[in-house]
Amino acid sequence: MSVQVRTPLAERLGLSTPIIQAPMAGVTTPALAAASANAGALGFLGVGAMTAQAARKAIADTRALTQRPFGVNVFCHRPAVANAAVQAAWLSYLAPVFREFGAEPPATIGEIYTSFVQDDAMLQVFLDERPAVVSFHFGLPDESRIRALRDAGIFLMGCATSVDEALRIQQAGIDAVVAQGYEAGGHRGVFDPRARDERLGTLALTRLLVRRLEVPVVAAGGIMDGAGIAAALALGAQAAQLGTAFVSCPESAADTAFRAALADPKAVTAMTDAISGRRARGLYNRLMRLGEAHDSPAVPDYPIAYDAGKALNAAAKARGNSDFAAQWAGQGAGLSRALPAGELVAALSAELEQSLHGLRGLAG
Ligand SMILES: Cc1cc2nc3c(=O)[nH]c(=O)nc-3n(C[C@H](O)[C@H](O)[C@H](O)COP(=O)(O)O)c2cc1C
């Protein structure tokens, strides 16, 4: 028996299934967002690492492939604090590894992309293009930016890793909160990377936020199939946001090495700040090991460290080695399957219905 699973948030966003394909900078593409949207989920573009001009093009390219609503996501981190001594020490620590691949570390590293909190050109793109949804990671922009986006009729979402962050998001007038558990792939959305991290898992965080907030909650982290989505809905979430599950879709920008690593059922993930300068979960690799070593110096601020990480990855990749890549993935990585996005959304929806049906069966 097929049941349509509806939630107020899914209805509000015009979705036929309460599934959100997570924004993933460097991985999401217009083709991925459009295919997810065309299948009835909310497609998303991660434009946090793009210029305003590139984001405008990505939005236009997505619109050419779908009539359905989709979201756009930006980073709201505190702009980087440069520290020449820390950066020089980090580059000199990595230098022998660059040399293994016949390269030298860059002479200097810097802030490779602009935070939305100071990116007026990106704000203008959103006000001109009016995507259905804009979501924020690493905190929130100021009140005037939030008001401008709301006045433009854009639905806003913010990412929380704690009750405190969630209450601040609700207080700022944001329409929905993403509860990002410690299991999640990619960067932790923590507002202040220097603050103590409670490391709440998706299950506890989602339930805490559902109980404490008035606005709808979206669960994110470690959800890979319909059973996971059913669990999120049982906790009171109004949608589930899946990132890792969509990385292996042919429409994503993931490279061959990332796809191969995800296809390994023994894939292991870890949390590190050595790749970008902020804590993020990805497939365990040698750059993470370097960051964990007892003689590792302090890692430069985000995203300055990312400049070094990307240069090291490029040097290694040129020699056929992908052991320094930022292959962000959540704890459910071993459950990945390589399906086209439309088929994946259809499979997730069918599994969700089966799971709900099965749970009803348990009730006798
Ligand atoms: C490869 C990758 C890149 C990501 N990039 C972003 C991003 O640009 N913006 C963002 O808000 N979240 C980003 N995330 C986090 C996702 O929004 C989401 O919280 C996470 O994927 C959920 O956990 P899961 O991967 O276990 O499904 C990324 C996640 C992955 C796996």
Side-chain angles (χ1 to χ4, degrees):
M1 184 191 60
S2 177
V3 276
Q4 269 272 313
V5 181
R6 292 178 198 284
T7 66
L9 177 65
E11 303 242 309
R12 165 78 176 73
L13 295 174
L15 313 178
S16 50
T17 186
I19 298 171
I20 300 177
Q21 166 253 302
M24 295 181 280
V27 169
T28 48
T29 60
L32 181 69
S36 303
N38 287 335
L42 185 69
F44 244 109
L45 294 171
V47 305
M50 286 185 198
T51 61
Q53 200 185 3
R56 192 187 292 278
K57 181 171 183 317
I59 293 171
D61 290 350
T62 308
R63 287 223 164 104
L65 299 170
T66 186
Q67 310 277 322
R68 298 184 63 101
F70 60 89
V72 181
N73 167 269
V74 282
F75 300 145
C76 295
H77 55 282
R78 171 186 60 110
V81 178
N83 181 324
V86 167
Q87 289 156 214
W90 184 243
L91 287 175
S92 111
Y93 178 61
L94 297 181
V97 194
F98 273 93
R99 287 183 200 124
E100 265 180 50
F101 300 102
E104 283 299 319
T108 56
I109 43 178
E111 197 165 6
I112 49 175
Y113 36 74
T114 313
S115 172
F116 182 67
V117 302
Q118 53 180 197
D119 194 345
D120 293 335
M122 189 69 87
L123 175 66
Q124 196 53 52
V125 168
F126 294 168
L127 297 178
D128 294 343
E129 300 295 334
R130 301 183 184 219
V133 179
V134 166
S135 76
F136 307 117
H137 206 54
F138 303 144
L140 294 172
D142 65 28
E143 227 182 288
S144 69
R145 281 168 198 266
I146 292 174
R147 196 173 329 110
L149 293 167
R150 281 182 65 103
D151 289 350
I154 299 170
F155 186 92
L156 301 179
M157 293 171 45
C159 177
T161 62
S162 67
V163 173
D164 176 57
E165 288 170 353
L167 290 171
R168 284 162 67 184
I169 293 170
Q170 174 172 272
Q171 176 69 27
I174 305 296
D175 301 292
V177 173
V178 176
Q180 189 198 36
Y182 201 63
E183 300 92 321
H187 284 88
R188 271 187 71 64
V190 288
F191 284 25
D192 178 0
R194 293 157 306 179
R196 202 177 72 82
D197 187 346
E198 280 182 84
R199 303 181 179 186
L200 290 166
T202 306
L203 195 147
L205 180 63
T206 300
R207 194 67 192 144
L208 283 164
L209 299 197
V210 166
R211 295 290 293 270
R212 293 289 300 275
L213 301 184
E214 308 286 324
V215 297
V217 175
V218 173
I223 303 173
M224 299 295 289
D225 56 18
I229 300 168
L233 297 183
L235 294 169
Q238 294 200 21
Q241 178 166 297
L242 286 68
T244 305
F246 284 89
V247 173
S248 303
C249 295
E251 297 93 339
S252 94
D255 67 8
T256 317
F258 195 176
R259 291 171 194 279
L262 269 180
D264 181 350
K266 296 192 296 298
V268 170
T269 69
M271 195 66 85
T272 186
D273 66 356
I275 293 181
S276 74
R278 264 186 100 115
R279 281 189 302 284
R281 181 177 295 282
L283 298 177
Y284 193 59
N285 71 13
R286 208 174 138 199
L287 186 45
M288 294 187 190
R289 274 209 311 281
L290 284 165
E292 286 168 359
H294 67 94
D295 58 342
S296 171
V299 179
D301 206 3
Y302 173 89
I304 297 174
Y306 223 168
D307 201 5
K310 283 175 189 285
L312 180 53
N313 176 45
K317 213 174 154 180
R319 296 279 177 98
N321 181 312
S322 290
D323 209 10
F324 300 85
Q327 294 175 334
W328 304 131
Q331 288 181 345
L335 297 166
S336 278
R337 42 193 159 168
L339 289 176
E343 284 179 35
L344 177 60
V345 172
L348 292 168
S349 307
E351 292 162 3
L352 168 60
E353 290 175 16
Q354 280 159 18
S355 293
L356 294 175
H357 193 60
L359 289 172
R360 239 175 259 130
L362 287 180

